[in-house]
Amino acid sequence: MRKHERAVPERTALPPVVDRATFDADLNHLRAREKAHTREGDEITAQRKRLPMVEVDASIPVTGPDGPVTLLEAFEGRTQLLAYYYMWHTGHPAEEQCQGCTWCTGQVQEISYLHSRDITFAVFAQGPYAESRAYRDFMGWTMPWYSGVGSLERLLVGRNIGQMYLISYVRQGDRVFETYWTTMRGVEVMDNNYALMDLTVYGRQEPFEDSPDGWPKQWATEDPVLPKVIDGRPIAQWSRIEAGRLTS
């Protein structure tokens, strides 16, 4: 086992074993709730589309690879923009950067589908451009990357700077409007691993989950809020280190 891999104890707690007919009956009962949940999600999405919007100054600058650009230019000519506000610890090494932001951002890789629907996805780091961009390159990410330093008070008006946010914008000509924002567990929409974990019998193995007695909670000891670290590093960093990438 590699040093950075986590030891997995032998599992002893398991669901009861039943015949196929009993299994199918219980699964069908759950399936009815799943379908209701899906329909409720569709209704929430429909309500989200009907929210009012607030105008944002389209000239607010963010810093990109060629220097300052406007919020409007970050749309890259598309009608909609999804901006992820990446938490950043200025001056800290890669292993001390936000594990939750690393977890979510690293899973937004194929953005051509968003582009096909006239949507641009970009990261607005809450730290200096050169420093945060070096982290982006170390992680091997390819999405557009900007720094919001100097403009965060205007971009995140009324919200706490230093917290993760996913914000939806739309433009009409040269005018920009904010239509929705979410934070904390709301940004899990960027993630597919949690959704896959939720389909398994042991789930995420995190403290908040409602699991039967004896179910493993292997991720209760590293960090009670964002347990996504092994040996002091965000999990996704280890494959990059093994590939020989430098962290600075």
Side-chain angles (χ1 to χ4, degrees), residues 26-157:
D26 283 2
L27 180 56
N28 287 337
H29 179 72
L30 176 64
R31 190 81 72 215
R33 293 190 63 190
E34 288 179 333
K35 290 181 178 180
H37 178 69
T38 298
R39 288 190 291 270
E40 174 68 10
D42 291 341
E43 293 176 8
I44 291 171
T45 297
Q47 182 178 350
R48 187 181 297 115
K49 293 175 182 176
R50 289 164 171 80
L51 289 172
M53 61 186 185
V54 61
E55 188 161 9
V56 180
D57 185 351
S59 68
I60 296 175
V62 293
T63 301
D66 299 318
V69 298
T70 65
L71 176 62
L72 179 64
E73 289 173 309
F75 279 71
E76 297 182 343
R78 299 184 182 90
T79 302
Q80 300 178 88
L81 168 67
L82 278 171
Y84 180 70
Y85 286 75
Y86 198 111
M87 297 168 61
W88 191 256
H89 306 300
T90 301
H92 290 240
E95 58 268 28
E96 295 178 11
Q97 293 306 327
C98 178
Q99 50 186 294
C101 291
T102 301
W103 174 279
C104 292
T105 304
Q107 294 175 72
V108 183
Q109 293 294 316
E110 185 52 75
I111 55 179
S112 61
Y113 298 106
L114 293 173
H115 291 173
S116 73
R117 307 299 171 93
D118 204 22
I119 302 166
T120 292
F121 177 88
V123 169
F124 287 6
Q126 300 182 61
Y129 179 78
E131 184 178 310
S132 63
R133 171 61 188 263
Y135 186 76
R136 178 255 204 188
D137 293 344
F138 160 62
M139 294 303 299
W141 299 335
T142 59
M143 73 282 289
W145 192 277
Y146 302 92
S147 167
V149 170
S151 298
L152 293 172
E153 292 83 0
R154 299 171 68 190
L155 291 166
L156 297 175
V157 59

Side-chain angles (χ1 to χ4, degrees), residues 9 17-18 92-93 117 148 168 186 188 220 240 243-244:
V17 178
V18 297
H92 290 240
R117 307 299 171 93
S168 176
E188 284 183 14
R240 277 69 176 183

